Amino acid sequence: MNAIPPTNSPIVSAFVTHTPGSAAAYAEAREHFPGGVTHDTRYVRPHPIAVARAASARKWDVDGNEYVDYAGGHGALILGHAHPEVTARVAEQLAKGTHYGANHALENRWAELIKSMVPSAEMIRFTNSGTEATLMALRVARAATGRSKLLRLRGHFHGWHDHMAFGVTNHFDGTPTPGILEGLSENVLLIDPNDEEGLAALMAAEGETIAAAILEPTGSTYGQVPLRDSFVHALREATARHGIVLVFDEVVTGFRVAKGGAQEVLGIRPDLTTLAKILAGGLPGGAVVGRRDLLELLDPERAAARGVEKIPHQGTYNANPLSAAAGIATLEILRDTDAIARTHAYAAALRGAMNQVLVEMSVPWAVYGRHTGIHIFTNWKNLPITPSTFDPLAMGYADLKVPRGLQTVTKLLLAMRTHGVDFSPWPGGPVSAAHGPAEMEATVAAFRKAIGDLRAEGEIA
Ligand SMILES: Cc1ncc(COP(=O)(O)O)c(C=O)c1O
C-alpha cells in the first residue's frame, strides 16, 4: 500500500492543490468503499485521481487536468482508450442486446480468432476474468491428474482466489493471508523465479504429486522481475517429464508480447493458457485455452465417454456479446496491423529517453523492461548502479519488487501526476499503440520535473 507521505512535502502539497475535485471524490469514496478504492493497486494517499473521461493515450480528471495514461486499464487497453473501432462494434452490439442467455455467433468468431493467434489453443472456455480463468485452469489440472499440489513462482500474480492469494507481494513463505485456510498452503509449493536448482530439487522430491505449475511466462508484473527463457524451458521439460500440467498465465502477456503471446516468442507449448485483459478489448472477460483432452473434462459427453465426472462450470457473463464484440474488434486490429510492434518500439524509446534523463541528472536509478513494459527501478537499497550497468536478471524478486508504501515511490507517482502523467504504481506502466511522439515528449518532461522535485526534498541524493 502506498503510505501517507509527510504533509510538509511540497510534492504532496502541489498534488493536493492541483486535484481538489479528486480529493472531494475520494472523501466520498471512503464512505462507500474500504480504503476508498475498488482495487487494491488504486490505493494511494493522500488520494487517487478521480477520472472523468479518457481517449486514446490520455485521460482527464474531474478538475479537467490532462494525463498521459500508463495505467492502460490495468493492462487491458493495448489500443488505448475508446478506440473508435472497438467503441463502434460495442455500440452496435449494445443495440442488439447485451445478453441472450444462449449461444451466439460472436462467441464462435471470438474463439476462432483466439485459435488463429494463440498457438496452443485447441479448445476454449470463456470466463469473466483472469482470476476465474486461473481458478478453472488449476481445477482442470487437478481433475486431469488426480493430484493436489500446485507449483507457483514467488511474486507471480494469478488473481485473488484462495490458492493464489499469498506469496505475491508478501507471505513469501507460503503462510496464508487473512481469510485463507491454514492448511491450504500445504498444497502450494513456492519456488524462486529463475531458480533452476530449486526446481530440479523440488521435482525430484515432489514431481509425482504436483498437478499443475503456473507462471507469468515473461516474469511477474509485466516482466518487472524478468524470467530467463532457459528457466521457462527447464520448467516445460520438467513438467512434461513428471506429467504436470503446465499453465502459462498469459493474462498480461497474451496479445501483448506477440500476437500469440509469450508462448509464441518462447517457442513453448503450454498445456493450458489463461487469458483476460486484452482478450476482451477493455470489457470484462477471460478464457482458459489449451489441450483438447484437458478441456474436454468440461464436456458432459466426452467426460462420460472417459468414465469421469464432468467439471461443473457456470458464469452469468461468460462470453457475453458485448465483451465478445470488444474482444473481436481488438484482436482483429492486433492480428491485422503493426499495433503490437508499435507498442514495443514506443516502450523501448521511452525507456531510453527516461534513462537519458537519469544519466543527465546523475540519478542512480534505471528504467528497464521488455516488450511493452516500463519499469522504474528506484534503487531503494542504494546499490551502485547506472542505467547502462543495471541488469535485472542478476537480481531477485525481493530487490526488484518495490515494497508498497515506500515514500520515494509514492512521491514519484504524485509528482508525475501533478506534471500530467499517470503511471501504474509498480512504478511504471504498460504502453499502448495510441502512445506517440507527443506522449513521449510529455512523459519525459514530466519525469525530468518529478526527479527535480524529489531531489529538492531530499528523496534523491
Ligand atoms: C498475470 C495475471 N493473472 C491473472 C490476473 C487476474 O485477472 P483479473 O483481474 O481479470 O481477475 C491478473 C490481473 O492483473 C494478472 O496480471
Side-chain angles (χ1 to χ4, degrees):
M1 299 302 117
N2 287 316
I4 306 174
T7 45
N8 62 0
S9 155
I11 289 176
V12 177
S13 304
F15 174 75
V16 169
T17 307
H18 192 63
T19 54
S22 292
Y26 185 60
E28 184 188 337
R30 286 181 67 85
E31 297 300 314
H32 303 310
F33 315 122
V37 292
T38 51
H39 184 310
D40 274 358
T41 70
R42 296 177 202 154
Y43 178 82
V44 63
R45 282 302 219 154
H47 54 260
I49 54 169
V51 174
R53 69 187 174 92
S56 193
R58 310 268 175 154
K59 63 191 182 193
W60 292 264
D61 69 16
V62 290
D63 293 300
N65 297 311
E66 180 172 308
Y67 301 87
V68 178
D69 180 44
Y70 293 95
H74 296 322
L77 298 174
I78 195 166
L79 299 178
H81 296 278
H83 187 283
E85 182 64 24
V86 179
T87 306
R89 300 263 202 108
V90 172
E92 185 190 335
Q93 182 55 43
L94 196 55
K96 293 185 192 165
T98 60
H99 198 312
Y100 302 138
N103 282 15
H104 57 94
L106 288 185
E107 66 186 4
N108 285 343
R109 178 82 199 99
W110 201 11
E112 264 171 35
L113 260 173
I114 296 164
K115 282 185 175 176
S116 74
M117 293 172 82
V118 180
S120 66
E122 295 173 13
M123 292 208 99
I124 295 171
R125 186 70 170 215
F126 285 110
T127 63
N128 287 308
S129 66
T131 296
E132 291 184 15
T134 60
L135 177 64
M136 177 50 81
L138 298 172
R139 188 174 292 174
V140 168
R142 280 174 160 164
T145 59
R147 302 172 182 176
S148 58
K149 293 194 175 160
L150 306 173
L151 171 58
R152 286 176 40 205
L153 304 185
R154 288 193 178 88
H156 284 220
F157 180 60
H158 306 294
W160 52 271
H161 57 89
D162 285 9
H163 288 84
M164 308 291 117
F166 48 90
V168 181
T169 55
N170 57 16
H171 289 255
F172 292 116
D173 58 357
T175 51
T177 45
I180 306 296
L181 296 179
E182 277 291 337
L184 185 133
S185 57
E186 285 162 21
N187 280 317
V188 179
L189 308 169
L190 290 167
I191 62 168
D192 285 353
N194 293 325
D195 180 5
E196 282 195 40
E197 275 179 25
L199 173 66
L202 187 72
M203 286 295 164
E206 299 266 10
E208 312 310 313
T209 67
I210 301 173
I214 185 166
L215 75 161
E216 295 186 71
T218 63
S220 60
T221 319
Y222 300 73
Q224 183 183 32
V225 186
L227 274 186
R228 289 182 199 284
D229 291 0
S230 57
F231 177 82
V232 189
H233 281 275
L235 186 61
R236 173 64 287 188
E237 192 276 323
T239 48
R241 192 153 29 89
H242 290 280
I244 298 166
V245 175
L246 179 63
V247 183
F248 267 21
D249 181 353
E250 298 232 39
V251 166
V252 161
T253 53
F255 316 106
R256 175 176 292 284
V257 166
K259 290 174 191 177
Q263 57 195 267
E264 177 189 317
V265 176
L266 286 161
I268 292 178
R269 199 173 174 91
D271 302 301
L272 293 174
T273 298
T274 52
L275 298 165
K277 297 195 191 277
I278 294 170
L279 173 83
L283 268 63
V288 186
V289 311
R291 272 171 43 194
R292 177 177 290 274
D293 64 308
L294 293 175
L295 286 166
E296 275 181 354
L297 293 172
L298 288 147
D299 177 335
E301 293 171 30
R302 300 298 303 163
R306 282 156 64 171
V308 296
E309 189 179 343
K310 162 199 179 341
I311 301 171
H313 180 227
Q314 303 80 12
T316 299
Y317 295 105
N318 294 349
N320 72 81
L322 282 189
S323 296
I328 293 167
T330 300
L331 296 190
E332 282 180 352
I333 292 168
L334 296 178
R335 184 195 58 185
D336 300 338
T337 72
D338 64 350
I340 296 176
R342 283 190 285 114
T343 63
H344 292 195
Y346 179 93
L350 180 58
R351 290 192 294 264
M354 290 172 70
N355 275 326
Q356 189 58 37
V357 171
L358 295 178
V359 170
E360 282 166 21
M361 298 181 77
S362 303
V363 179
W365 294 5
V367 181
Y368 69 99
R370 285 163 72 201
H371 316 300
T372 69
I374 305 289
H375 300 287
I376 305 166
F377 179 69
T378 53
N379 202 2
W380 50 289
K381 287 187 175 170
N382 280 321
L383 304 171
I385 60 134
T386 66
S388 54
T389 59
F390 180 67
D391 177 10
L393 276 170
M395 302 173 71
Y397 68 92
D399 290 324
L400 292 170
K401 284 228 177 225
V402 181
R404 290 279 169 83
L406 206 68
Q407 178 171 284
T408 308
V409 170
T410 302
K411 286 184 178 178
L412 171 66
L413 294 170
L414 296 178
M416 289 299 289
R417 284 173 192 163
T418 301
H419 298 308
V421 173
D422 186 32
F423 273 139
S424 293
W426 321 326
V431 307
S432 80
H435 286 80
E439 284 74 25
M440 176 92 62
E441 199 180 318
T443 307
V444 173
F447 189 53
R448 193 183 297 278
K449 285 188 203 159
I451 295 286
D453 294 348
L454 286 163
R455 181 160 273 154
E457 57 186 76
E459 291 292 343
I460 299 174

